[in-house]
Amino acid sequence: MMQSPGLQPKDCPNYYVCGAVFEYDADELIELVRVREQREETIRITRTQAAIMMLMSRGNPQSLEDFNIPDLISEIEELLESVKEQLNQFQNVYVVPESVEAHEYSVKRPSGPYFYNKLTAKEQLFEPAERSQKVKVIHLSHSDDPRNIEGRLGIERRNRLTQTRTRLREIKERLSEIEEFLDGV
């Protein structure tokens, strides 16, 4: 009805309400006549609800899909599931504690220097081979020994997990920022 040719403002069934509506609070109920398919109906609505109704019907409202948000969330969920699956490779393998490092050292033998490897910690973290209390060092034997190879792989695994944790914390912080940002809307 609003866009009918020849319609004058005084012909609008809401002419007087619309003229006085500016004196009302935004949440105060008003009665409006709405024309749909050649039928008039009276509705009780607030100014805010009327504004939303008008904008939703005429203002080309956008949805989450228009901003590709559901697809992005779905992609993030898929990537997170993939990360969870990839983290399974760190199950049932040796991962060195954060404060532990590997060192190579030499022992003098009558036949010449013999190189050994060890894992060292600043605190007593390791289970002892013979003693009753924990120790700071585990000997890993020579460079080609599986103990040394797995010990050093344990350092690489630890470093990857540490970096993964840092990146996941950053992602969590960003998602928290988005959550707080959206709370204000």
Side-chain angles (χ1 to χ4, degrees):
M1 181 170 170
M2 292 172 75
Q3 296 181 1
S4 301
L7 181 67
Q8 297 295 315
K10 65 179 175 26
D11 297 332
C12 177
N14 296 311
Y15 181 71
Y16 294 106
V17 173
C18 289
V21 79
F22 294 105
E23 299 168 10
Y24 296 178
D25 289 334
D27 296 326
E28 192 173 341
L29 287 175
I30 56 174
E31 285 191 5
L32 289 178
V33 176
R34 179 168 60 178
V35 178
R36 282 189 162 171
E37 299 172 12
Q38 305 299 326
R39 286 190 15 231
E40 283 188 13
E41 63 179 336
T42 301
I43 57 172
R44 292 181 56 81
I45 195 167
T46 66
R47 285 177 58 195
T48 301
Q49 291 168 332
I52 292 169
M53 186 174 66
M54 185 277 293
L55 290 169
M56 291 300 288
S57 66
R58 300 182 51 222
N60 189 17
Q62 301 295 292
S63 67
L64 295 176
E65 288 79 11
D66 294 317
F67 294 93
N68 201 30
I69 290 174
D71 290 340
L72 287 170
I73 289 173
S74 180
E75 290 171 17
I76 290 168
E77 288 171 342
E78 287 176 20
L79 285 169
L80 190 55
E81 283 303 314
S82 176
V83 167
K84 285 180 183 179
E85 288 176 22
Q86 289 179 354
L87 286 172
N88 286 333
Q89 70 180 306
F90 295 95
Q91 298 294 329
N92 301 316
V93 294
Y94 182 64
V95 178
V96 174
E98 289 191 71
S99 63
V100 173
E101 295 300 329
H103 300 282
E104 183 178 57
Y105 63 101
S106 65
V107 176
K108 292 182 183 179
R109 301 280 180 180
S111 60
Y114 188 81
F115 291 94
Y116 277 90
N117 294 277
K118 62 184 176 179
L119 290 179
T120 61
K122 294 178 182 175
E123 300 173 10
Q124 296 174 323
L125 298 175
F126 303 116
E127 295 298 327
E130 297 174 7
R131 297 182 185 172
S132 61
Q133 56 186 343
K134 293 188 178 199
V135 295
K136 293 182 181 181
V137 176
I138 292 181
H139 294 275
L140 302 177
S141 192
H142 55 85
S143 294
D144 295 335
D145 191 285
R147 291 173 288 181
N148 181 55
I149 293 168
E150 282 301 317
R152 291 184 182 271
L153 284 173
I155 291 172
E156 178 62 29
R157 292 177 189 122
R158 185 238 2 242
N159 292 345
R160 285 186 183 227
L161 288 172
T162 302
Q163 290 175 13
T164 298
R165 178 184 62 201
T166 299
R167 291 176 180 173
L168 287 171
R169 283 180 177 161
E170 290 169 358
I171 291 167
K172 179 185 171 217
E173 286 177 24
R174 294 302 305 257
L175 288 172
S176 293
E177 289 172 11
I178 291 169
E179 183 181 41
E180 286 179 29
F181 176 73
L182 291 174
D183 275 346
V185 179

